[in-house]
């Protein structure tokens, strides 16, 4: 395989052993330095010598290795970045923000690694549209930064400060990723909004996370709830319901005030579920607080009441995180009325659960439980001949030299790589659409890129790995939410493996190719 000279530089030889990179802890040149003076009792020629220690960078071009499991993909990002800078002085820079240094309650280390892999894959294909070593003709080329927001977004303020420096020092024009639907993510969005930096979130679904310059590649919780209810309407028990025996769903709601995802999902279920005498959402609402140590005890007490509900539960709509869901499913498995089938419906946070290892106990047994959830992206959708997922984009995850399978040999099951790829690809598309080779300054600004998002319409859709993406104003539209985004309807098995059972959208018909 021939190698483009522009892609040949010292970093290449460290791809097989990233930890050996001689600048693996090199400081980035735009770094906002947070100096911590340390008094040293060393007297030299009558003077006290002071030592200063700098905290680790939270934003890097790949030269700061955030965690061992990210070393390989960060080395690839660094190599691509150095080649981009050498080839295109007017390159643009996009940062991908996530809790890089370790997993938290929202994302495991594996989830984070998959996101970074997906972001790199999109960077590479944006710069090499033919999949080869040489850069394509499109300019500007894309440089990728990684921004660590800290566990549960705790470091958002420092991260925002470093990203502000990158706007002036490193052509930063947008930020993708952003993390989960929690209050610290809103704080980061607010800070970037104030800087005028456009953003594309990869997995945010809560409508409570808002920003003037925020777009998404994921459907909203309202879209997911509508798609889930549409699925329930196809089930036999729904169709067999009568006014004397209505199909009844009960809402289990996490009231954690810092978790926008859970609260917004509950609101969306209430709005989407019909109340017509034949199907209804029960007025009784079960509540708990997911960030409390007593969550398991509270859920156990609540589940013990399921068998005495009147009318009996056909479905439980669970508006909470996967950790509490696994507790509830285990308790439901022990209910006294195991002869009564119950469908549990929840949102995309289930994606973070890994399958049980051999020998581990399943979440539930043969107790008439069915766990259905709305996913964000799944490779199963690729097998459906609906046109909802573009074939050309999916080929990037196949077996070519620069495809996901050959580069990483890692799992795509949680959908995180697909969503991260799409967030970065949508951002790069907006930037390229805004680029004007005839203007005096050929360096793009954040305002240019923000304007470029207006070009991603029904007549110019982005072929995402999670489905076609476009933003169309009009009746029923949601600001920054992709229109009719494909939503996989998934079933989780007791061993936490999943299978796709349907492909839907807010309207029931996922967006297809540009008409």
């Amino acid at each position: 395989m021939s190698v483009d000279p522009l892609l040949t530089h010292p970093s290449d030889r460290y791809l097989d052993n990233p930890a050996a990179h001689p600048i693996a802890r090199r400081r980035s040149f735009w770094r906002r330095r947070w100096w911590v003076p340390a008094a040293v009792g060393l007297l030299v020629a009558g003077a006290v010598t002071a030592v200063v220690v700098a905290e680790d960078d939270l934003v890097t071009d790949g030269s700061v290795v955030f965690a061992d499991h990210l070393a390989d993909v960060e080395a690839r990002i660094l190599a691509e970045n150095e080649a981009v800078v050498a080839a295109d002085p007017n390159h643009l820079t996009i940062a991908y923000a996530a809790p890089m240094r370790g997993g938290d309650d929202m994302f495991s280390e594996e989830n984070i690694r998959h996101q970074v892999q997906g972001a790199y894959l999109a960077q590479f294909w944006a710069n090499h549209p033919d999949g080869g070593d040489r850069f394509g003709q499109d300019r500007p080329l894309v440089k990728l930064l990684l921004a660590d927001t800290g566990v549960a977004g705790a470091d958002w303020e420092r991260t925002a400060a470093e990203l502000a420096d990158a706007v002036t020092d490193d052509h930063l024009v947008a930020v993708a990723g952003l993390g989960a639907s929690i209050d610290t993510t809103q704080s980061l969005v607010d800070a970037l909004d104030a800087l005028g930096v456009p953003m594309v979130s990869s997995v945010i679904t809560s409508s409570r996370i808002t920003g003037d310059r925020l777009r998404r590649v994921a459907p909203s919780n309202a879209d997911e709830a509508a798609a889930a209810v549409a699925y329930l309407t196809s089930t036999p028990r729904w169709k067999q319901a009568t006014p004397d025996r209505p199909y009844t769903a009960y809402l289990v709601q996490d009231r954690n005030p810092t978790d926008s995802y859970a609260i917004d999902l509950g609101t969306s279920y209430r709005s989407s579920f019909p109340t017509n005498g034949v199907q209804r959402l029960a007025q009784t609402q079960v509540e708990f607080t997911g960030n409390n140590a007593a969550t398991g005890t509270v859920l156990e007490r609540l589940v013990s009441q399921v068998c005495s509900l009147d009318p009996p539960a056909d479905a439980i709509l669970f508006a909470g995180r996967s950790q509490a869901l696994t507790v509830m499913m285990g308790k439901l498995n022990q209910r006294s009325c195991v002869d009564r089938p119950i469908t549990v419906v929840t949102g995309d946070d289930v994606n973070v659960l890994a399958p049980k290892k051999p020998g581990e106990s399943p979440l539930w047994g043969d107790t008439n439980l069915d766990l259905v959830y709305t996913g964000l992206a799944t490779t199963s959708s690729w097998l459906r001949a609906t046109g909802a997922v573009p074939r050309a984009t999916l080929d990037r995850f196949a077996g070519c030299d620069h495809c996901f399978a050959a580069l990483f040999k890692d799992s795509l099951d949680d959908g995180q790589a697909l969503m991260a790829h799409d967030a970065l690809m949508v951002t790069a598309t907006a930037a390229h659409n805004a680029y004007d080779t005839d203007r005096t300054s050929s360096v793009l600004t954040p305002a240019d890129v923000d304007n470029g998002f207006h070009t991603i319409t029904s007549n110019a859709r982005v072929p995402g790995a999670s489905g076609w993406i476009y933003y169309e104003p009009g009746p029923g539209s949601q600001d920054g939410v992709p229109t009719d985004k494909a939503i996989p309807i998934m079933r989780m098995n007791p061993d936490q493996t999943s299978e796709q059972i349907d492909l839907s959208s807010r309207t029931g018909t996922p967006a297809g190719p540009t008409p």
Side-chain angles (χ1 to χ4, degrees):
M1 179 178 66
S2 62
V3 178
D4 192 312
L6 292 177
L7 288 178
T8 305
H9 43 66
S11 297
D12 288 342
R13 64 179 179 272
Y14 297 104
L15 289 177
D16 293 332
N17 184 18
H21 200 294
I23 55 172
R25 303 299 298 177
R26 184 185 65 189
R27 298 188 58 76
S28 306
F29 73 88
W30 70 80
R31 174 74 164 97
R32 179 185 294 271
R33 288 170 174 77
W34 301 70
W35 298 108
V36 182
V40 179
L42 177 64
L43 193 63
V44 180
V48 175
T49 301
V51 176
V52 292
V53 179
E55 293 181 3
D56 285 340
D57 292 330
L58 293 180
V59 178
T60 182
D61 59 358
S63 55
V64 172
V65 179
F66 286 132
D68 289 345
H69 68 100
L70 296 178
D72 171 74
V73 64
E74 286 203 51
R76 295 179 187 277
I77 291 170
L78 178 61
E80 179 73 0
N81 284 342
E82 291 181 343
V84 164
V85 171
D88 183 8
N90 295 325
H91 64 272
L92 64 87
T93 299
I94 301 170
Y96 192 90
M100 298 287 178
R101 293 182 193 269
D104 55 27
D105 288 344
M106 312 300 172
F107 301 111
S108 67
E109 286 188 353
E110 184 179 53
N111 298 150
I112 295 299
R113 183 174 70 255
H114 295 166
Q115 287 188 47
V116 177
Q117 290 168 343
Y120 165 73
L121 191 71
Q123 178 200 21
F124 179 87
W125 282 88
N127 292 334
H128 309 263
D130 64 353
D133 293 319
R134 299 187 64 84
F135 289 125
Q137 297 301 312
D138 287 344
R139 293 293 184 274
L141 296 175
V142 177
K143 179 179 178 180
L144 175 62
L145 302 180
L146 300 179
D148 181 20
T149 58
V151 174
D155 293 327
W156 70 266
E157 192 169 9
R158 284 179 53 208
T159 305
E162 292 188 33
L163 291 171
D165 285 348
V167 170
T168 55
D169 296 339
D170 200 24
H171 302 184
L172 180 72
V173 296
V175 176
L178 300 175
S181 300
I182 53 179
D183 57 351
T184 50
T185 299
Q186 182 64 68
S187 297
L188 178 60
V189 168
D190 290 342
L192 293 172
D193 237 347
L195 291 170
V197 174
M199 296 153 274
V200 179
S201 69
S202 54
V203 298
I204 290 175
T205 56
S206 172
S207 62
R208 292 170 177 250
I209 303 295
T210 60
D212 291 340
R213 296 168 182 83
L214 175 65
R215 281 90 175 176
R216 311 155 187 255
V217 295
S220 66
N221 282 334
D223 291 350
E224 291 193 33
V229 171
Y231 164 74
L232 291 177
T233 65
S234 69
T235 60
R237 273 189 294 156
W238 183 287
K239 294 178 179 179
Q240 294 164 6
T242 66
D244 293 334
R245 174 57 178 93
Y247 185 100
T248 304
Y250 287 83
L251 178 65
V252 176
Q253 175 71 67
D254 184 349
R255 283 293 180 188
N256 178 1
T258 67
D259 192 346
S260 177
Y261 163 83
I263 293 176
D264 186 63
L265 184 59
T267 300
S268 298
Y269 282 142
R270 286 192 292 272
S271 299
S272 297
F273 206 89
T275 301
N276 56 17
V278 180
Q279 291 87 24
R280 69 191 190 98
L281 183 62
Q283 294 299 311
T284 303
Q285 180 173 306
V286 176
E287 297 184 352
F288 69 101
T289 304
N291 60 346
N292 190 285
T295 295
T297 303
V298 172
L299 282 173
E300 182 174 18
R301 290 180 179 275
L302 295 175
V303 166
S304 68
Q305 304 170 19
V306 167
C307 295
S308 60
L309 291 172
D310 186 23
D314 293 296
I316 293 176
L317 308 180
F318 182 81
R321 294 286 177 177
S322 56
Q323 292 81 3
L325 174 68
T326 58
V327 173
M328 187 184 78
M329 294 301 294
K331 303 302 182 185
L332 281 172
N333 188 53
Q334 302 169 22
R335 70 192 189 282
S336 59
C337 54
V338 294
D339 58 327
R340 180 181 300 162
I342 295 177
T343 299
V344 177
V345 178
T346 191
D348 61 89
D349 189 68
V350 179
N351 281 327
V352 304
L353 292 178
K356 293 279 188 180
K357 296 178 181 178
E360 288 185 335
S361 299
L363 279 181
W364 68 92
D366 186 16
T367 54
N368 283 319
L369 287 177
D370 191 24
L371 176 55
V372 175
Y373 67 97
T374 43
L376 294 180
T378 170
T379 56
S380 298
S381 299
W382 303 355
L383 305 178
R384 294 176 177 260
T386 63
V389 183
R391 182 76 258 168
T393 301
L394 304 186
D395 288 343
R396 299 174 186 172
F397 292 84
C400 69
D401 289 345
H402 294 294
C403 292
F404 188 94
L407 293 173
F408 303 117
K409 299 178 176 61
D410 215 335
S411 172
L412 293 168
D413 290 347
D414 60 15
Q416 299 293 318
L418 310 185
M419 298 304 292
H421 166 277
D422 288 0
L424 205 84
M425 189 58 67
V426 164
T427 309
T429 299
H432 285 146
N433 289 352
Y435 188 63
D436 183 358
T437 56
D438 295 330
R439 71 181 189 175
T440 303
S441 172
S442 56
V443 178
L444 280 175
T445 67
D448 294 331
V449 177
D450 191 46
N451 202 31
F453 284 102
H454 297 300
T455 65
I456 302 175
T457 66
S458 60
N459 294 320
R461 305 177 183 190
V462 175
S466 62
W468 294 88
I469 299 166
Y470 72 99
Y471 307 92
E472 196 71 38
S477 66
Q478 305 164 82
D479 287 345
V481 177
T483 302
D484 288 338
K485 182 65 189 298
I487 301 175
I489 308 297
M490 308 293 294
R491 173 176 286 117
M492 178 165 281
N493 303 311
D495 63 357
Q496 296 179 192
T497 58
S498 296
E499 57 183 321
Q500 183 173 332
I501 55 178
D502 199 2
L503 186 65
S504 188
S505 73
R506 180 185 181 90
T507 62
T509 304
T514 299

